[in-house]
Amino acid sequence: MPSVRDVTFELLRRLDLTVVVGNPGSTEETFLKNFPTDFTYVLALQESSVVGIADGLSQGLGKPVLVNVHTGAGMGNAMGCILTAYLNKTPLIITAGQQTRDMLLGEPFLTNIDETLLPKPWVKWSYEPKRPQDVPGAFMRAYAMAVQQPTGPVFLSLPLDDWEKEMDALDVSRTVSTRHAPDPARIEDFAARIRASKNPVLVYGGDLSRSRAWEAGIAFAEALQAPVWLGPFTERVPFPGNHPLFAGVLPPAVGPLGKALAGHDLVVVVGAPVFRYYPWVAGEILPAGARLVQIIDDPYEAAKSVTGDSLVADSLLALEALVPLVGSRPARGPVRQKAPTVAVPDNAPLPLTPAQIFAVLSQVAPADVIVVNESPSNMHELAATPLGVVTRPDSSYVMASGGLGWGMPAAVGLALAEAQTGRNRPVVAIIGDGSFQYSLQSIWTGVQHGAHVVFVVLRNEEYGILKAFARLEETPGVPGLDLPGLDIVSLGQGYGAATAKASTPAGIREAFSKALAAKGVSVIEIAAAKAVGDLIPR
């Protein structure tokens, strides 16, 4: 008679869940015993990096990834990146070992107490099987929950003594639908409102990327000849930044966002929340006389929208239904002026500004590069240079949560996905020197697996984004915002990466070119000017 492990691993094969990203502990070793040769184990050195790598790998592969961390202690370490995976809508099946069932009543050392509550609310489903023989079925239900819209992480707590128990050779595999088709009556209503609009505007979000709606999003915008904004903190860019209808990224504050939409009578939001705000800047949510309709794949997001009427549906299916109904409008010119090219002479004063650094990197970066951004204080500068202008689908990633420590492991996971799929696009992670400290252990995993990722670390010796908030919030004298004494190069070398330090335009070009050609993990430290600009335009 087969064991619980036998039946479970056979199910995982059928679900194509043969990559495990983890950091093993004593309560997980019974699951990993005699690890099958047709499975791959990706070791990360800390549980936050485990989840971040799995998040990037899942997004790069477009399918769920299995995660294994160590009981409650490991889950505690992992929670920051689990929160981010939830807001990124990344389908991860997160597992953690639990103590032996025979001892659970007395809560022995390493018991995961209230195990199903620990990861909430940042997982879609959390469960500990009631019997060992329920483990395979629990995996099947977890998979079904993870891949159904809105996609996201789920959690299973697995007692360490379940794996050797015998059970019938059950086949619990099944399939589920992964897209919500739109309500035809609601689509007709939205189409009528769009046709009646004199000057509509579009706001796109990450759902379009997840539903593979890049081309559909372009077709919809061109039919309406409407400007396309990205919603605030959009985690995956779903529209080309070099398209004449691209308007930019909406500011994440009520007043400035409402002003950015001035002149439009209908706001059509597709695949984005309404809206992701952060600092409080007073004003009108929408310009006077404007109305809003939203298409989102998450009923929760639809319910909490601050204004407008919502349709819960897959973005691609909704746009495919709308395009034939909305007609077409006369062509218009570009909706915004092209950003001026940043001039960077070879003898430019040092240290270079972030905008100058990105301009120099753009001179070397290949067209098919994937960019991961976790340098919060200069995202606007990056977006204004060729390196930051997205022209291809699935080539730009940030975290939807605002939690630091996701970018570096996610970049490693994305690079592993590029190698696994054979696309082999280089991954460039723009990382602040503060962000670099959160998950630098992920460098080691990238080195061990030969991932092609270049970490470009801007060293300005401060939390620049927090200094910008201090200005906005009128809070002078905040301590702990300076970061002197960090040696980025030594930290990269300690984990086995190729490293370089650069400051001049020529030095940056040389170091970046060498890293792109190396096909491995590189860390480039670049001194950057301290420049605290306005966080939110008023």
Side-chain angles (χ1 to χ4, degrees), residues 126-464:
S126 184
Y127 186 70
E128 183 175 280
K130 305 306 179 187
R131 307 177 304 146
Q133 293 77 14
D134 291 335
V135 168
F139 269 95
M140 185 61 244
R141 182 173 173 184
Y143 179 90
M145 288 290 294
V147 300
Q148 293 182 91
Q149 291 176 332
T151 55
V154 295
F155 174 68
L156 292 177
S157 172
L158 303 169
L160 66 87
D161 56 327
D162 281 0
W163 299 103
E164 298 298 338
K165 299 294 193 296
E166 293 183 344
M167 66 174 294
D168 293 332
L170 300 175
D171 179 7
V172 298
S173 63
R174 54 194 174 90
T175 61
V176 294
S177 173
T178 59
R179 293 179 185 264
H180 296 312
D183 173 18
R186 192 69 156 172
I187 281 288
E188 290 280 359
D189 174 48
F190 277 22
R193 298 194 211 187
I194 292 169
R195 290 193 301 270
S197 169
K198 290 188 172 76
N199 189 18
V201 63
L202 301 175
V203 179
Y204 283 175
D207 281 0
L208 280 90
S209 293
R210 283 180 287 272
S211 64
R212 300 289 185 258
W214 177 274
E215 296 297 336
I218 295 173
F220 187 57
E222 291 178 348
L224 299 185
Q225 285 297 301
V228 177
W229 290 90
L230 298 184
F233 304 117
T234 295
E235 65 278 10
R236 290 178 65 174
V237 176
F239 191 82
N242 60 349
H243 194 285
L245 292 174
F246 182 68
V249 182
L250 288 173
V254 173
L257 191 153
K259 287 181 180 179
L261 300 176
H264 297 284
D265 60 345
L266 181 66
V267 182
V268 182
V269 181
V270 185
V274 178
F275 291 102
R276 277 186 181 137
Y277 300 126
Y278 182 43
W280 169 247
V281 181
E284 296 297 325
I285 294 174
L286 294 177
R291 296 292 181 264
L292 183 145
V293 294
Q294 177 197 32
I295 298 168
I296 190 80
D297 70 7
D298 185 352
Y300 183 88
E301 287 285 356
K304 75 180 183 70
S305 295
V306 294
T307 189
D309 301 323
S310 296
L311 164 65
V312 177
D314 173 80
S315 293
L316 175 62
L317 298 182
L319 291 181
E320 288 178 339
L322 276 172
V323 167
L325 300 176
V326 297
S328 61
R329 303 185 183 215
R332 63 189 300 169
V335 299
R336 67 171 184 170
Q337 293 183 340
K338 186 177 180 180
T341 302
V342 178
V344 192
D346 282 345
N347 61 349
L350 301 179
L352 301 178
T353 67
Q356 289 175 317
I357 292 169
F358 299 142
V360 174
L361 293 170
S362 297
Q363 297 169 3
V364 179
D368 63 346
V369 69
I370 296 173
V371 176
V372 178
N373 190 339
E374 194 171 285
S375 186
S377 60
N378 44 59
M379 287 187 173
H380 294 299
E381 289 85 349
L382 177 61
T385 56
L387 179 64
V389 174
V390 179
T391 60
R392 290 175 168 82
D394 303 321
S395 60
S396 175
Y397 297 82
V398 297
M399 76 295 201
S401 67
L404 300 181
W406 174 86
M408 291 183 68
V412 171
L414 286 162
L416 296 178
E418 288 300 304
Q420 185 171 325
T421 59
R423 294 186 300 253
N424 293 316
R425 296 176 295 176
V427 178
V428 175
I430 307 296
I431 307 292
D433 52 356
S435 299
F436 188 81
Q437 310 310 314
Y438 281 73
S439 296
L440 54 86
Q441 307 95 335
S442 57
I443 295 172
W444 180 88
T445 302
V447 170
Q448 296 302 309
H449 287 267
H452 188 195
V453 56
V454 181
F455 296 107
V456 176
V457 186
L458 274 59
R459 185 164 177 250
N460 60 7
E461 299 187 326
E462 65 182 8
Y463 288 124

